[in-house]
Amino acid sequence: DIQMTQSPSSLSASVGDRVTITCRASQSISTYLNWYQQKPGKAPKFLIYAASSLQSGVPSNFSGSGSGTDFTLTISSLQPEDFATYYCQQSYNTPYTFGQGTKLEIK
Amino acid sequence: QVQLVQSGAEVKKPGASVKISCKASGYSFTSYYIHWVRQAPGQGLEWMGIINTSGGSASFAQNFQGRVTVTRDTSTSTVWMELSSLRSEDTAVYYCSRDYIPLGGRYSDSWGQGTLVTVSS
């Protein structure tokens, strides 16, 4: 199975800050990398696929990059509604494993 | 609009089985696979498996093989996930999600609301 490792596990930041979350795959997954946002008590919300393609309706302050084994999710200017937990997921092959999550908290 | 509506919360004893439903609406049911993902309390997301809603074939993560069965009824646009030999570690919220395959990718674009399964003696 492909292991997905996110860093950091948690992050404190302020509104307006730029933050970057990293996701590393245990083997090359090309660009088969998704990002999801989850708020407490809610189902995950899809944000980005193919490492850098933004879902329609997702604010443009979200961006993704990377290929092979190393990927990043960047939020260029944090908004109050962005404080949540973020997960990466590889869709290269089954099982479609998730990273352990990064909890983004208000400083 | 696309909707996935799951069945309600369940409380089960260790060793029992649970069967959760996921009813799809707002799209052509057999044109999209369905994933199952679970989340233990305070923990991350764990991918369980996927079913081809057209042909009915399914694939599961090794952790669940032999304990999980996923079936579908195309006449009612419903998928069921049954997990057997429950143990306390199976206490989690279980989600179904729709599989979407654009060029160069694959992801879950719509999710059910989740079903809490509590395993307790």
Side-chain angles (χ1 to χ4, degrees), chain A residues 8-45:
Chain A
S9 296
S10 63
L11 177 58
S12 293
S14 302
V15 172
D17 284 354
R18 177 187 178 92
V19 299
T20 296
I21 298 168
T22 297
C23 179
R24 175 164 288 176
S26 61
Q27 67 182 72
S28 177
I29 57 171
S30 183
T31 56
Y32 286 86
L33 192 282
N34 304 320
W35 289 99
Y36 299 87
Q37 176 194 69
Q38 188 180 33
K39 296 183 178 179
K42 300 293 188 183
K45 173 187 172 184

Side-chain angles (χ1 to χ4, degrees), chain B residues 10-23:
Chain B
E10 303 264 11
V11 179
K12 295 292 182 181
K13 293 194 182 302
S17 297
V18 67
K19 193 170 186 178
I20 301 166
S21 67
C22 171
K23 183 173 175 60

Side-chain angles (χ1 to χ4, degrees), chain A residues 31-32 34 36 38 42-44 46 49-50 55 87 89 91 94-96 98 100, chain B residues 35 37 39 43-47 59 61 95 102-108 111-112:
Chain A
T31 56
Y32 286 86
N34 304 320
Y36 299 87
Q38 188 180 33
K42 300 293 188 183
F46 169 67
Y49 78 97
Q55 165 77 323
Y87 293 93
Q89 180 200 29
S91 58
T94 57
Y96 296 132
F98 290 90
Q100 80 278 16
Chain B
H35 298 263
V37 173
Q39 186 170 38
Q43 302 302 306
L45 301 170
E46 181 178 21
W47 187 85
S59 171
Y95 293 102
L103 187 64
R106 179 172 211 164
Y107 58 87
S108 290
W111 294 69

Side-chain angles (χ1 to χ4, degrees), chain B residues 22 24 27-34 53 72-74 77-79:
Chain B
C22 171
Y27 70 95
S28 173
F29 176 71
T30 55
S31 295
Y32 298 85
Y33 290 27
I34 292 286
T53 53
R72 93 282 187 231
D73 181 344
T74 57
S77 300
T78 302
V79 174

